Amino acid sequence: MAIPIPEKRVAEFEKLGFGMFIHWGLYSQLGRGEWVMHQERIPVDEYKELAKTFTASKFDPYKIATTAKAAGMKYITLTTRHHEGFSLYDTRGLSTYDAPHSAAGRDLIREYVDACNDVGIVPFFYHTTLDWYHPDFNNNFKSYLQYLRDSVEVLCSEYGKIGGLWFDGNWSKKDEDWEEDALYAVIRKHQPEAIIVNNTGLSARGEPGNLQLDSVTFEQGRPTPMNREGMSKYFAAEMCHTLNAHWGCGYADFNYKSLPHLIETLCACRKVGANYLLNVGPTGEGEITLLQEALLRSIGDWINLGGGSVYEGKPCGVVSEDSPKNFALRIDNKLYFYVHDLSITGDSNVTVAGGGAGDKVFTGVPGKIKSVKWTDCDGDLAFTQDGDKVTINCTGYTYGKSLVVRIAEAEIE
Ligand code: GLC
């Protein structure tokens, strides 16, 4: 059965490859995650007081966009409104529970979009569909859906061209009619090229839905390869991931992922052609912390050494005989072999990295290989080829290097 061809915008989205997710809202001031209102059963009247202290005094979207760029991220998805119901944008009269009516007194989404455009990062909008603040959400759902559509219309018509909309919350009322067609029609009217995503949550990872959607989601889980045969449209895939254990700022959350884990996760996503959307939770004042920034910048350094194939490289059916983690991506007549767990070659009294160097076998190689070399250093690697089977002598790192995942670039005839 045929695999559908991706629409142009979907193909472009896949090439973005790596993005920054940002969860920031009133909850960030409490520093106990973005679900704090719900978890601690804080009454609306008490919770909404947080708007009076939400100054956004350290929110510097230019700095955030610059950090994203240094991390090798091509897009940012920011929570314009999360489940708490507070909007970071000027709702233009739809509600007074928004940034211009808070202590910040300004439209934070305007600043965000302008900064992204300046820096050359594509701005995406996360928007909740579940709302703990709006009374209609539980009392007059139809009228709530109109409010949601009007809100989205503001976002789609007031900020120029945006990358896309990322919805989240339909899983909260699984049996309701969310009138999705009407919501997506509002977007298509103003932003025909926007990517539309609607998160299927932890319980239904990778599930396609409405045909206006452009990507499936793999929340907090490594994406599995998509079987697109016979599908009526090509959906991209995206995995969103927390840097520690919460999306929103957690002052007592020390559970950060390691840099090797983050690099390997980025690779695991690209192995199956999925985008990687890595989250930061700025402080209540709007600042990304030093630890978060340092981790992100280091991923960018790794991407630079690898030569950038993480963006345009496509899965091409190459299989590793040595490790399920190893794989290859293809760009035109180039193949990029992603090799994990190489050791450092050097004096045994000082080199500690585990794993091994040596021959690595790949099958399903499309074409005859002319030459292979690491992207991070000069010199050809020895290899032999027998039909679609290639054995590459993967040398270890020289003392002074340990890249977690090392990429070999091969030219094919
Ligand atoms: C979940 C959570 C939410 C978070 C989202 C990100 O659906 O409800 O807090 O924004 O995942 O993927």
Side-chain angles (χ1 to χ4, degrees):
M1 259 193 290
I3 294 176
I5 308 278
E7 284 161 88
K8 188 166 165 283
R9 67 167 180 280
V10 177
E12 293 296 319
F13 176 63
E14 288 189 318
K15 285 188 203 160
L16 295 179
F18 184 31
M20 176 189 275
F21 211 176
I22 305 179
H23 278 70
W24 185 48
L26 299 183
Y27 49 80
S28 310
Q29 298 175 87
L30 299 177
R32 298 195 293 278
E34 79 290 354
W35 272 65
V36 62
M37 177 180 178
H38 180 91
Q39 290 294 329
E40 298 181 13
R41 304 199 194 302
I42 307 175
V44 171
D45 282 342
E46 191 183 316
Y47 188 90
K48 70 174 196 229
E49 293 296 303
L50 288 169
K52 295 188 179 151
T53 48
F54 188 68
T55 59
S57 59
K58 292 191 180 156
F59 179 60
D60 180 348
Y62 186 82
K63 185 164 182 243
I64 293 174
T66 309
T67 300
K69 195 152 205 188
M73 294 160 153
K74 306 263 190 193
Y75 64 109
I76 301 181
T77 305
L78 168 65
T79 49
T80 60
R81 181 191 296 164
H82 203 265
H83 310 335
E84 64 180 1
F86 176 81
S87 306
L88 296 183
Y89 56 98
D90 182 349
T91 57
R92 272 92 177 162
L94 293 175
S95 166
T96 52
Y97 201 42
D98 62 6
H101 293 88
S102 73
R106 56 198 215 270
D107 183 342
L108 301 166
I109 294 305
R110 173 84 273 154
E111 295 177 11
Y112 158 69
V113 172
D114 290 349
C116 284
N117 289 338
D118 267 13
V119 174
I121 291 275
V122 185
F124 282 67
F125 296 154
Y126 168 110
H127 202 284
T128 187
T129 58
L130 151 68
D131 197 314
W132 297 324
Y133 175 83
H134 203 290
D136 283 350
F137 182 72
N138 284 323
N139 300 319
N140 186 348
F141 195 56
K142 277 214 162 287
S143 136
Y144 168 76
L145 291 177
Q146 188 57 50
Y147 164 70
L148 176 62
R149 283 193 290 272
D150 292 344
S151 302
V152 168
E153 182 143 38
V154 168
L155 284 174
C156 289
S157 56
E158 297 286 345
Y159 298 93
K161 190 169 190 286
I162 52 159
L165 265 296
W166 206 102
F167 295 105
D168 184 29
N170 284 23
W171 37 261
S172 67
K173 287 182 191 276
K174 282 202 172 70
D175 299 328
E176 278 290 354
D177 175 6
W178 286 86
E179 300 176 5
E180 276 184 83
D181 285 335
L183 177 63
Y184 304 148
V186 170
I187 301 170
R188 290 279 171 256
K189 181 172 149 209
H190 300 281
Q191 302 270 349
E193 294 307 312
I195 290 294
I196 309 179
V197 179
N198 200 328
N199 183 24
T200 45
L202 294 169
S203 60
R205 292 186 181 120
E207 266 186 27
N210 188 292
L211 286 179
Q212 284 300 322
L213 296 173
D214 294 310
S215 178
V216 301
T217 59
F218 288 87
E219 179 176 335
Q220 304 275 40
R222 291 208 174 176
T224 45
M226 301 262 300
N227 181 3
R228 297 186 170 93
E229 269 181 35
M231 277 191 171
S232 44
K233 109 165 230 180
Y234 183 106
F235 291 95
E238 182 183 58
M239 169 190 172
C240 55
H241 203 202
T242 48
L243 208 45
N244 50 5
H246 295 80
W247 300 100
C249 174
Y251 290 131
D253 180 355
F254 296 89
N255 201 358
Y256 279 85
K257 272 118 196 152
S258 69
L259 190 52
H261 182 81
L262 296 169
I263 291 170
E264 288 198 357
T265 308
L266 169 62
C267 293
C269 287
R270 300 313 279 160
K271 177 184 175 191
V272 298
N275 286 11
Y276 185 35
L277 186 62
L278 182 57
N279 181 73
V280 293
T283 62
E285 291 164 318
E287 202 178 26
I288 295 183
T289 62
L290 287 174
L291 177 55
Q292 296 181 4
E293 183 178 337
L295 283 168
L296 298 186
R297 283 180 179 271
S298 299
I299 300 174
D301 293 344
W302 177 86
I303 291 177
N304 286 337
L305 280 174
S309 60
V310 284
Y311 305 109
E312 308 243 336
K314 292 265 160 232
C316 56
V318 172
V319 175
S320 159
E321 305 251 298
D322 308 286
S323 156
K325 291 198 285 187
N326 293 346
F327 62 95
L329 299 179
R330 179 176 189 168
I331 307 176
D332 302 325
N333 66 339
K334 297 262 174 71
L335 293 180
Y336 295 88
F337 294 92
Y338 283 59
V339 182
H340 293 64
D341 299 322
L342 287 177
S343 51
I344 301 178
T345 309
D347 191 304
S348 59
N349 287 303
V350 70
T351 49
V352 290
D359 282 351
K360 309 282 173 204
V361 182
F362 294 90
T363 54
V365 173
K368 193 165 163 10
I369 292 195
K370 288 204 267 187
S371 60
V372 196
K373 65 175 187 57
W374 294 123
T375 57
D376 62 284
C377 63
D378 291 331
D380 280 357
L381 296 175
F383 71 95
T384 56
Q385 181 162 14
D386 178 10
D388 74 349
K389 179 171 168 181
V390 170
T391 306
I392 303 173
N393 181 246
C394 292
T395 51
Y397 300 108
T398 49
Y399 180 74
K401 257 187 200 176
S402 189
L403 300 181
V404 183
V405 183
R406 195 176 205 186
I407 304 171
E409 180 185 298
E411 211 179 323
I412 50 172
E413 277 173 9

